[in-house]
Amino acid sequence: ALADKGFLERDPSRSRGVKILGVDLSAETVSVPCYSEVPNARGARVAAEMNLAVDRRMGGERGSFIVRAKGSDLAVLGVAEGDYVLVSPTTVEDLENGTIVVARVGNDSLYHRFSKNGKGVCLQSLSPGGEENIVEDPDALHLVGRVTAFFRRMDQVATSVNLTPH
């Protein structure tokens, strides 16, 4: 019954062989949910596409998640469409100038370069043609998290790479 509900996976090659789904028992890795877009941090639940195992030192913070990059979200940083972007929870006090963050501005969660100034915080949008947002009250900033890493599948990289040394 638990296998039918999706909580267990049975191993037909072993007697009593089952795997508990959604539980990571490895000491070196942690299971992190992966989404096709930044989940709505205002309470609406979005189902994860899958869970990915990452090194515990990279994504071990509770609340970390992975988002698949779209189009030109982070193209200025060399992140291509389909790359996996690891976002970890953080607070404004823990951020340094230049950190890439995911923050909710209006109804959208966007990638920004974070910096502090004398009046509050500045969020420079990384989208093409994006604007700069000044938030005078850092407590009013809806910070989703900071980008800590990105992962790229190398078997999907274009084959027309120029390997000529310069």
Side-chain angles (χ1 to χ4, degrees), residues 71-141:
S72 58
D73 282 349
L74 294 168
V76 296
L77 300 175
V79 177
E81 183 164 351
D83 286 348
Y84 298 100
V85 179
L86 178 62
V87 179
S88 298
T90 190
T91 62
V92 173
E93 295 79 29
D94 293 337
L95 294 174
E96 296 179 14
N97 287 342
T99 302
I100 306 302
V101 298
V102 178
R104 189 166 306 282
V105 176
N107 292 328
D108 296 325
S109 291
L110 302 171
Y111 298 96
H112 301 273
R113 186 173 305 277
F114 174 90
S115 62
K116 297 176 185 176
N117 61 24
K119 297 180 181 177
V121 297
C122 175
L123 298 174
Q124 177 64 47
S125 176
L126 296 177
S127 299
E131 54 194 45
E132 184 174 278
N133 294 297
I134 305 292
V135 180
E136 293 182 11
D137 180 14
D139 294 332
L141 175 63

Side-chain angles (χ1 to χ4, degrees), residues 9-78:
E9 183 178 280
R10 296 186 55 106
D11 184 353
S13 66
R14 296 178 53 186
S15 172
R16 299 185 188 118
V18 295
K19 176 182 176 185
I20 301 171
L21 298 176
V23 176
D24 183 13
L25 301 176
S26 171
E28 292 85 28
T29 63
V30 63
S31 182
V32 179
C34 178
Y35 301 96
S36 60
E37 59 187 44
V38 175
N40 184 354
R42 294 184 185 215
R45 308 252 332 153
V46 177
E49 290 183 336
M50 63 183 136
N51 284 342
L52 296 173
V54 297
D55 188 299
R56 189 171 297 282
R57 294 170 290 186
M58 302 267 311
E61 294 96 353
R62 185 175 196 87
S64 293
F65 61 91
I66 294 175
V67 178
R68 289 216 274 165
K70 292 184 180 174
S72 58
D73 282 349
L74 294 168
V76 296
L77 300 175

